[in-house]
Amino acid sequence: MSRSMFLPHLVSHRQSAPIPSPRRKRTLLAAVGIGTVLALSGCDDDGKTADKDTGAAGSKAPSGDASSAAPSSPSADEPLHSGWQTQSMPKHHFRYDVPGKTAEWKVLDKGTALSYTGKDGKPIVVMTGTANYREGGCASSPNPDAIGAAGKGQLATVGTTGGGKDGTLQENARNWAGNWGFAAYGGEDHKPKIKVSKAEPYRHGGIEGYTATAEVTVTHRPSSCVPPKAVVHSIAQKLPDGTMHGWVIYADQGVPHALKDADIKKIMDTVRPTSG
């Protein structure tokens, strides 16, 4: 590993805007509260940095409950649940659904990216193909450095990331979960406490890879808008060209209208490959 740094800033940018990309930079992020160090490295195919790591074990997937399983035809372009909205990011080979606009979900333009940057202002973690839940509520953020589309009141965000070849799927699954939880819920100045699960095999809806979960305890709560806890789930898959790509959902917990585990699982059960 090279130098260590944390992920203090959240920025929103358009994919059309060029972003510097240190392809060989490695970033270490300490998952506060469990003494684990997760690493990030590599870049995605648009030149934005993508999450990679070292050192995770494998076990099983969180997808088991048949009661909320999505219907078959995992590659369908249409939503798998009536009234839901579909988001896709062919670059990362992920498609997924979220509830409809009446449930206060918003699918963002594919060209919109959310990222956290290092102290040098360069993006370290990047998410595209995103969707937000309940935008425009409490606007306070546990990370005071959050700008752009972050910290504007949404209670959950979903998106895709990745594109590098470093590390294993298990390692990347753990890093995506831990680092998005770290950055979204405190960052370097207000480090949250994070417990990241082992990476577990994930085989569902045409996706074969690994998944991990981060449980976040927020330490900086400047107002009641900031949740006391949060949860992050990741899915990591490898494409035939050897690149690894991730799907991530992070969600406030312990506040009114927070997503329940069953809600998150139902969304995860719609994750499938893009047809192209």
Side-chain angles (χ1 to χ4, degrees):
M1 300 297 166
S2 61
R3 63 191 180 90
S4 172
M5 73 193 309
F6 291 90
L7 318 181
H9 302 292
L10 179 61
V11 299
S12 175
H13 57 272
R14 306 289 297 179
Q15 283 184 301
S16 57
I19 297 174
S21 59
R23 279 194 175 271
R24 290 182 171 80
K25 178 169 68 175
R26 302 178 85 78
T27 303
L28 299 181
L29 184 154
V32 181
I34 57 174
T36 300
V37 174
L38 305 179
L40 299 178
S41 66
C43 296
D44 73 8
D45 53 11
D46 274 351
K48 305 178 187 70
T49 47
D51 323 273
K52 306 290 163 206
D53 84 10
T54 62
S59 64
K60 65 178 185 180
S63 63
D65 185 339
S67 63
S68 63
S72 57
S73 302
S75 63
D77 292 342
E78 298 78 19
L80 302 185
H81 298 285
S82 178
W84 283 38
Q85 309 170 83
T86 298
Q87 175 65 291
S88 63
M89 182 50 67
K91 176 181 70 174
H92 295 307
H93 209 56
F94 280 108
R95 174 176 285 119
Y96 65 93
D97 303 331
V98 294
K101 294 178 181 178
T102 57
E104 299 192 63
W105 276 91
K106 178 181 179 182
V107 172
L108 302 181
D109 184 271
K110 290 182 179 63
T112 300
L114 304 178
S115 77
Y116 285 91
T117 68
K119 288 186 177 297
D120 58 4
K122 297 177 181 178
I124 298 171
V125 289
V126 180
M127 179 181 286
T128 55
T130 56
N132 283 333
Y133 169 57
R134 293 186 72 94
E135 285 186 345
C138 283
S140 180
S141 170
N143 185 345
D145 294 323
I147 60 173
K152 303 302 182 185
Q154 60 264 38
L155 298 186
T157 295
V158 193
T160 64
T161 189
K165 294 184 178 181
D166 294 342
T168 66
L169 282 176
Q170 297 98 313
E171 293 163 356
N172 280 282
R174 295 196 73 224
N175 259 2
W176 281 319
N179 283 293
W180 280 102
F182 176 88
Y185 294 100
E188 182 178 5
D189 291 336
H190 301 285
K191 300 177 182 68
K193 297 178 180 179
I194 301 178
K195 179 180 180 180
V196 184
S197 74
K198 293 181 178 180
E200 305 177 337
Y202 186 91
R203 296 177 181 88
H204 186 84
I207 301 290
E208 292 191 11
Y210 281 84
T211 186
T213 300
E215 297 177 357
V216 183
T217 300
V218 180
T219 61
H220 177 62
R221 299 191 66 202
S223 79
S224 60
C225 293
V226 176
K229 294 184 180 296
V231 65
V232 189
H233 295 279
S234 68
I235 301 170
Q237 66 171 332
K238 182 183 286 189
L239 300 188
D241 65 359
T243 59
M244 285 170 278
H245 301 259
W247 179 94
V248 176
I249 180 170
Y250 57 91
D252 296 4
Q253 300 289 280
V255 293
H257 309 293
L259 291 182
K260 298 180 175 61
D261 288 344
D263 300 324
I264 295 172
K265 183 182 182 306
K266 191 170 183 179
I267 293 170
M268 289 186 74
D269 281 343
T270 71
V271 177
R272 56 206 188 272
T274 53
S275 53

